[in-house]
Amino acid sequence: MSQLVITHKGSNSFRLPYQIILNNRMVGVMTTPQVNITLPAGVYVLSICFGGYLPIGKKGKHIDLTLSTTETIRVNETGYTCLEFRNKERWWDIVFTIDLVVWLVLIFFTLPYPWNIVYHVLSDGFFLAWIIRLVAVRKRYFAFATTYRDTPPEEQNKKK
């Protein structure tokens, strides 16, 4: 048996729960930055998902609102298969952080006439572009990097 080590490379301040799905079966929910799974050697289809479904109607219909990525990984007989994932939203996070700060400032102050319209057009335009992008890339939202090691990843980090 070998270990599959899944690590989320992202913001340390705020963690979201991610679903881990192996071969179309949910293994668990990842709430920590790193998860170790003991698996036999083989090829697996791994999906990392975030989000849920919005029910519509009475017949079990729903709108899929999940953000996910699926990748085929190979687990060796011995050693550690290390998979790191991160979201691809770094630039959008920066834009929306700036927008949030400006929005908070505008609670206490008012922009003069032409600039308040410019702010609202830019802010709403960025938001619309972000929503369109999310819909377009929601099934390949995360970036994966897979490495194979003989020693645990914790020992590799201590050596550096």
Side-chain angles (χ1 to χ4, degrees), residues 99 101-123:
D99 187 42
V101 168
V102 172
W103 179 77
L104 287 172
V105 168
L106 289 179
I107 290 174
F108 302 105
F109 300 103
T110 305
L111 287 174
Y113 165 65
W115 296 110
N116 64 351
I117 294 173
V118 170
Y119 165 73
H120 285 293
V121 167
L122 286 176
S123 178

Side-chain angles (χ1 to χ4, degrees), residues 3-154:
Q3 292 280 325
L4 171 63
V5 180
I6 302 172
T7 307
H8 178 236
K9 294 291 184 186
S11 169
N12 290 332
S13 60
F14 185 67
R15 295 263 178 227
L16 298 172
Y18 297 102
Q19 298 173 2
I20 299 174
I21 300 169
L22 274 174
N23 293 341
N24 293 326
R25 298 186 108 181
M26 188 167 136
V27 176
V29 177
M30 181 176 174
T31 58
T32 60
Q34 187 173 6
V35 173
N36 295 345
I37 302 171
T38 303
L39 293 171
V43 177
Y44 298 93
V45 177
L46 174 75
S47 295
I48 305 287
C49 298
F50 170 74
Y53 299 97
L54 180 66
I56 55 172
K58 293 184 177 180
K59 297 183 179 182
K61 294 182 181 179
H62 61 274
I63 298 173
D64 185 7
L65 299 175
T66 59
L67 302 173
S68 65
T69 297
T70 301
E71 185 168 301
T72 303
I73 58 168
R74 179 179 47 88
V75 175
N76 297 330
E77 289 185 21
T78 60
Y80 295 85
T81 303
C82 301
L83 182 118
E84 295 178 350
F85 74 96
R86 63 175 175 76
N87 68 355
K88 299 177 183 179
E89 297 291 315
R90 191 175 93 209
W91 294 108
W92 288 103
D93 290 345
I94 292 169
V95 167
F96 284 119
T97 302
I98 293 169
D99 187 42
L100 180 64
V101 168
V102 172
W103 179 77
L104 287 172
V105 168
L106 289 179
I107 290 174
F108 302 105
F109 300 103
T110 305
L111 287 174
Y113 165 65
W115 296 110
N116 64 351
I117 294 173
V118 170
Y119 165 73
H120 285 293
V121 167
L122 286 176
S123 178
D124 296 345
F126 279 131
F127 183 69
L128 180 64
W130 177 70
I131 292 293
I132 291 170
R133 183 185 179 283
L134 265 182
V135 168
V137 301
R138 68 182 187 86
K139 291 297 181 188
R140 52 187 191 282
Y141 183 77
F142 300 107
F144 285 139
T146 307
T147 57
Y148 302 96
R149 299 181 177 158
D150 292 330
T151 60
E154 294 84 18

